[in-house]
Amino acid sequence: MAILVTGGAGFIGSNFVLDWLRLGLGPVVNLDKLTYAGNLKNLASVSDHPDYHFVRADICDRDAVQAVLTEHDVMAVINFAAETHVDRSIHSPGEFLRTNVQGMFALLEAVRGYVDGLGGDGDAFRLINVSTDEVYGSLGPNDPPFTETSGYYPSSPYSASKAAADHLCRSYFVTYGLPIVTTNCSNNYGPYQFPEKLIPLMIRNATRGDELPVYGDGGNVRDWLFVGDHCAAIREVLECGRVGETYNIGGNAERTNIEVVEALCDILADFADGGGSSRYRDLITFVTDRPGHDRRYAVDACKIRDELGWEPTESFESGLRRTVKWYLDNEAWIQSVETGEYREWLDANYELRASTS
Ligand code: NAD
Ligand code: TYD
């Protein structure tokens, strides 16, 4: 019996596949469209593994997904396939609606057709809908963290499309009894994250002596979780999560963006031979803010801790150091993902952001 990981060539999906195979948990099929964010180099170390199989396909293609489910006797789907970058969703929202909403719909229909055909064996099937805390919207400075019963107030086309997918999943559980569990996780960081997101972008720019573009006043808060801890949480949910439920996942590590960037500068200085942190901190440039920029996210992850016994194992400080080391050791990986498309994105996103420092 195999699991199907959709979007397994991206950041979290590839970490999930690598951990799954390292732990010897059984066959895994990775179905990925290979957008700019999907990179098979992430999985080069397992490409010949007997339990690993790759299929290039789009989750919007219901027939292709259903054929994979049948061919590989799949007993669980973990969906990571999505468009994920908020700034890109502001520039080009259409692709977010296509993959995150229509793609989720096609995936749900494929799973529904497949599970119907399993008869009684379908009881053990699971679909894990990997979602985000961004669906809950923005918190004020003194608000309590998001719980699983917080209302949905998405602010960006990205978070709105993920919210729509969560609602579709819930409706397929309630209406058709499809065995779905949703997870809403905070910001991840770690190896193989595409260098358009805050932490890898800052490491990349700092090592090249480029500006470190901090949006607005740098006071926006995110709750950071090391990617390996997120993958462990998903494995727990897959094994023991209750169908129809949602589980919040977070790192108990709220930091302002400027705190994150300054911490990165300090770690980079520790690894560099001389020069001190100011060599990197002097690159920090405050730039025009993101429209609709959520001020604060924070996650109450008590439910998954109390029900499933999951807690993060990596502190933000140790995880960030590990991440910086990985990027410094894997400069070739960064270069390999810096396609023409990536450079066009940097031009489109940052050239219009005037410095406000
Ligand atoms: P990513 O952008 O790094 O990777 C997305 C992957 O999906 C890529 O491999 C891409 O090729 C693939 N993909 C995109 N469209 C596809 C399609 N139509 N069909 C098949 N494959 C497609 O994303 P990530 O950061 O790894 O996020 C994975 C999931 O986790 C997403 O659903 C995201 O919303 C969620 N999430 C991410 C974070 C985070 O901080 N990165 C936090 C919480 C939740
Ligand atoms: P990001 O990594 O895009 O994740 P998300 O928007 O999903 O939380 O951004 C994290 C935070 O960092 C967010 O508040 C926006 C900010 N940010 C910058 O200040 N500068 C940048 O160049 C980027 C990409 C993000």
Side-chain angles (χ1 to χ4, degrees):
M1 300 270 210
I3 62 162
L4 172 62
V5 170
T6 44
F11 163 47
I12 307 174
S14 59
N15 276 282
F16 186 87
V17 170
L18 291 172
D19 289 353
W20 186 269
L21 291 170
R22 185 173 45 77
L23 294 167
L25 297 177
V28 50
V29 183
N30 172 18
L31 181 152
D32 198 297
K33 181 181 168 184
L34 298 182
T35 68
Y36 77 91
N39 191 340
L40 287 180
K41 287 201 178 70
N42 302 2
L43 296 157
S45 63
V46 295
S47 60
D48 295 328
H49 194 294
D51 276 346
Y52 175 71
H53 191 82
F54 175 71
V55 179
R56 186 170 192 179
D58 188 329
I59 58 163
C60 296
D61 185 344
R62 178 196 158 158
D63 292 343
V65 174
Q66 204 168 330
V68 169
L69 291 169
T70 307
E71 185 188 339
H72 293 274
D73 206 8
V74 168
M75 280 313 289
V77 175
I78 302 100
N79 181 40
F80 297 97
E83 290 292 332
T84 62
H85 188 32
V86 172
D87 292 314
R88 286 188 190 251
S89 82
I90 295 167
H91 283 252
S92 316
E95 200 52 32
F96 287 71
L97 274 287
R98 204 190 80 86
T99 285
N100 300 1
V101 186
Q102 285 172 242
M104 178 53 85
F105 168 60
L107 186 62
L108 284 165
E109 282 294 296
V111 167
R112 187 157 79 95
Y114 173 69
V115 170
D116 278 352
L118 289 178
D121 292 344
D123 293 346
F125 187 91
R126 290 290 179 276
L127 168 59
I128 309 298
N129 167 39
V130 179
S131 187
T132 164
D133 62 352
E134 303 195 20
V135 297
Y136 298 122
S138 187
L139 291 169
N142 300 315
D143 288 341
F146 303 126
T147 68
E148 288 79 1
T149 56
S150 296
Y152 270 39
Y153 296 98
S155 310
S156 69
Y158 163 64
S159 53
S161 67
K162 294 294 291 185
D166 290 4
H167 291 318
L168 272 176
C169 285
R170 183 178 149 70
S171 77
Y172 270 63
F173 166 70
V174 174
T175 306
Y176 305 112
L178 216 59
I180 303 172
V181 192
T182 290
T183 58
N184 294 94
C185 187
S186 62
N187 284 62
N188 284 212
Y189 66 98
Y192 302 111
Q193 187 167 31
F194 195 78
E196 63 186 354
K197 305 278 168 62
L198 179 74
I199 288 176
L201 180 93
M202 294 296 168
I203 299 171
R204 171 202 179 269
N205 284 13
T207 53
R208 284 160 177 69
D210 292 347
E211 284 181 353
L212 307 181
V214 175
Y215 297 168
D217 64 0
N220 301 67
V221 174
R222 298 292 183 262
D223 172 1
W224 293 96
L225 179 69
F226 188 71
V227 64
D229 279 327
H230 187 189
C231 295
I234 293 170
R235 290 195 301 273
E236 287 296 336
V237 169
L238 179 61
E239 201 181 334
C240 302
R242 288 181 293 138
V243 293
E245 292 290 320
T246 68
Y247 293 89
N248 280 355
I249 303 170
N252 286 323
E254 284 186 61
R255 299 287 186 281
T256 61
N257 292 337
I258 192 67
E259 284 173 336
V260 171
V261 176
E262 288 179 350
L264 285 170
C265 291
D266 295 350
I267 296 169
L268 282 162
D270 281 351
F271 282 120
D273 37 358
S277 185
S278 60
R279 162 181 166 194
Y280 299 110
R281 286 189 181 220
D282 288 349
L283 299 169
I284 294 174
T285 310
F286 291 91
V287 299
T288 309
D289 208 354
R290 169 190 285 173
H293 194 177
D294 285 334
R295 189 66 181 170
R296 175 176 166 240
Y297 303 139
V299 166
D300 177 337
C302 288
K303 179 175 172 179
I304 189 169
R305 183 197 64 197
D306 296 346
E307 272 192 27
L308 307 183
W310 174 87
E311 280 187 284
T313 58
E314 192 83 54
S315 75
F316 183 64
E317 286 64 35
S318 64
L320 202 60
R321 183 167 279 275
R322 219 171 131 179
T323 302
V324 171
K325 171 113 178 53
W326 186 87
Y327 279 91
L328 293 177
D329 290 347
N330 289 276
E331 177 59 34
W333 180 87
I334 302 188
Q335 281 177 21
S336 75
V337 301
E338 289 193 359
T339 58
E341 192 280 345
Y342 175 69
R343 279 185 289 275
E344 280 165 29
W345 164 251
L346 292 185
D347 289 348
N349 191 39
Y350 294 100
E351 267 181 8
L352 295 174
R353 280 182 199 279
S355 164
T356 56
S357 297

